[in-house]
Amino acid sequence: MAILVTGGAGYIGSHTVKALQRQGRDVVVLDNLYKGHRQAVKDAPLHVGDLGDPAFIADVFGQYSVDAVVHFAALSLVGESVQRPDLYFRNNTAYAMNLLDAMVKHKVDKLVFSSTAAVYGEPHSVPIDEDHPKAPTNPYGESKLFVEHILRRYDTAFGIRSVSLRYFNAAGADPSGEIGEDHQPETHLIPIILQTLLGKREHIEIFGTDYSTPDGTCIRDYIHVNDLSDAHILALDALAAGGSTTAYNLGCGQGFSVREVIRTVEKVTGRTVPVVESPRRPGDPAVLVASSERIKRDLQWNPQYENLETLIASAWQWHQAHPDGFSQ
Ligand code: UFG
């Protein structure tokens, strides 16, 4: 019985594939390689195709005895989603339904879904728990929230049980040095700072220094990608044990400002980061910090990388060894 991982060649997907393989589990990867990297999938069968193609999905489900699905495949750029909502609702929401329909047809009843903190929008209070109102401020967050709604209905109607995992700020790399973060284009804070230190960029721009936070810059909750991977495996096990449809936040529960992240990078690397202060990036909430108490309590999730220095050190190891990401 195999676990089907969609988007398994992407950043969080490839780390989860590796974690599943470390446990000796049978994994099949499906990815269109639009953003993912073939080299990020080491020893699992990789089927290259798109969830927009029901015949391709049917072919994969026909070849394997799929026990459960972990669904990462999606577009994930907030700014792009505002410009092209059509792409986001189609890829992230409509195509997820193609996958679900194949699951119904093949009687696969367990799904772990890659959701996001963006489902909450601008927070009313922090830390954010799972009961916080859901009011996404962009099509990316909406496209994921719609899937969460669909999942609840598919449980009632078709018996597919699911766990939606709402990630806060994923960062870091597997300590093996074999896989890490490589987005084209890169928009995330930590890789951009590290690329600056490697001479790939002239400086890091701080987007906004006038937020109502202690140092004026945005605060985020950074969570190591391997701690995210562990949570997916715990969620799969909970579903296998008969668990019901639910959603969990995944963060460390501690917020760091952009300036604090830059200072921590300087401490870890021993280098000075060239900084330029710029205007706010539209749509950025001032503070996003998770309460992940629910998954700690229900699934005994126990993050191993709560220390920001350790997290950054793992990313630095990857970026130094792979300054051009997977393309070198
Ligand atoms: N930032 C900078 N300079 C940069 C890049 C980022 O100052 O060059 C700042 C941002 O303004 C933000 C913080 O660093 O305050 C973190 O930005 P990221 O782009 O790394 O991450 P986000 O918090 O914007 O995005 C994350 C996830 C998204 C998700 C979003 C929900 O990566 O997938 O949270 O709000 F949609």
Side-chain angles (χ1 to χ4, degrees):
M1 294 291 270
I3 296 166
L4 176 66
V5 181
T6 76
Y11 173 44
I12 305 171
S14 62
H15 283 77
T16 301
V17 167
K18 200 168 179 60
L20 286 163
Q21 289 178 316
R22 279 193 182 117
Q23 295 199 352
R25 307 203 194 195
D26 208 4
V27 182
V28 178
V29 176
L30 181 163
D31 202 297
N32 64 7
L33 298 182
Y34 171 59
K35 295 279 182 181
H37 307 277
R38 190 181 286 279
Q39 307 91 306
V41 183
K42 303 285 179 203
D43 304 308
L46 169 64
H47 292 263
V48 179
D50 201 277
L51 290 178
D53 178 358
F56 166 70
I57 302 174
D59 183 47
V60 175
F61 274 80
Q63 282 186 50
Y64 298 90
S65 174
V66 176
D67 178 45
V69 176
V70 187
H71 177 41
F72 293 99
L75 301 175
S76 64
L77 295 174
V78 170
E80 182 183 65
S81 80
V82 176
Q83 305 301 321
R84 292 297 307 272
D86 54 324
L87 294 180
Y88 279 71
F89 294 129
R90 189 168 298 114
N91 277 278
N92 295 4
T93 311
Y95 290 177
M97 294 186 65
N98 291 342
L99 176 69
L100 288 171
D101 291 341
M103 290 178 65
V104 172
K105 186 163 175 218
H106 290 266
K107 300 190 169 43
V108 179
D109 66 351
K110 298 179 281 297
L111 176 83
V112 178
F113 173 58
S114 168
S115 189
T116 170
V119 299
Y120 297 110
E122 186 76 43
H124 296 188
S125 56
V126 286
I128 299 169
D129 68 18
E130 290 82 356
D131 297 325
H132 185 286
K134 320 298 176 293
T137 52
N138 53 64
Y140 169 63
E142 278 172 340
S143 72
K144 293 279 186 172
L145 185 58
F146 291 158
V147 175
E148 289 197 23
H149 290 318
I150 291 166
L151 288 174
R152 289 207 163 71
R153 298 299 185 188
Y154 267 56
D155 183 350
T156 309
F158 306 121
I160 293 181
R161 292 168 296 116
S162 64
V163 176
S164 296
L165 297 176
R166 299 175 186 148
Y167 320 143
F168 282 64
N169 287 64
D174 188 67
S176 68
E178 288 180 5
I179 51 175
E181 188 165 9
D182 178 6
H183 293 114
Q184 304 287 343
E186 189 53 78
T187 60
H188 297 101
L189 179 64
I190 292 175
I192 286 181
I193 301 174
L194 298 177
Q195 288 173 354
T196 306
L197 291 181
L198 291 167
K200 302 269 161 202
R201 297 166 187 265
E202 279 184 10
H203 51 251
I204 163 92
E205 282 183 79
I206 299 184
F207 296 141
T209 54
D210 58 348
Y211 286 96
S212 56
T213 58
D215 68 16
T217 66
C218 287
I219 293 177
R220 294 289 181 274
D221 182 342
Y222 295 88
I223 162 106
H224 195 281
V225 64
N226 279 12
D227 285 331
L228 291 180
S229 305
D230 287 350
H232 290 76
I233 296 178
L234 292 171
L236 281 170
D237 289 347
L239 290 170
S244 357
T245 292
T246 191
Y248 293 114
N249 286 343
L250 286 172
C252 278
Q254 206 186 340
F256 293 93
S257 73
V258 174
R259 289 194 206 280
E260 284 173 327
V261 173
I262 292 171
R263 270 202 302 277
T264 309
V265 169
E266 291 181 329
K267 191 171 167 205
V268 168
T269 63
R271 304 187 190 189
T272 304
V273 179
V275 165
V276 168
E277 295 186 0
S278 296
R280 292 182 179 197
R281 188 171 67 176
D284 275 343
V287 181
L288 286 176
V289 176
S291 163
S292 299
E293 293 311 308
R294 188 185 279 179
I295 189 166
K296 286 182 178 165
R297 187 190 62 220
D298 289 1
L299 306 188
Q300 284 77 52
W301 178 66
N302 178 22
Q304 302 297 304
Y305 291 86
E306 284 183 302
N307 180 315
L308 185 63
E309 286 181 29
T310 319
L311 180 152
I312 288 172
S314 76
W316 182 226
Q317 183 196 4
W318 159 257
H319 283 277
Q320 276 183 301
H322 305 270
D324 296 313
F326 286 102
S327 62
Q328 68 165 26

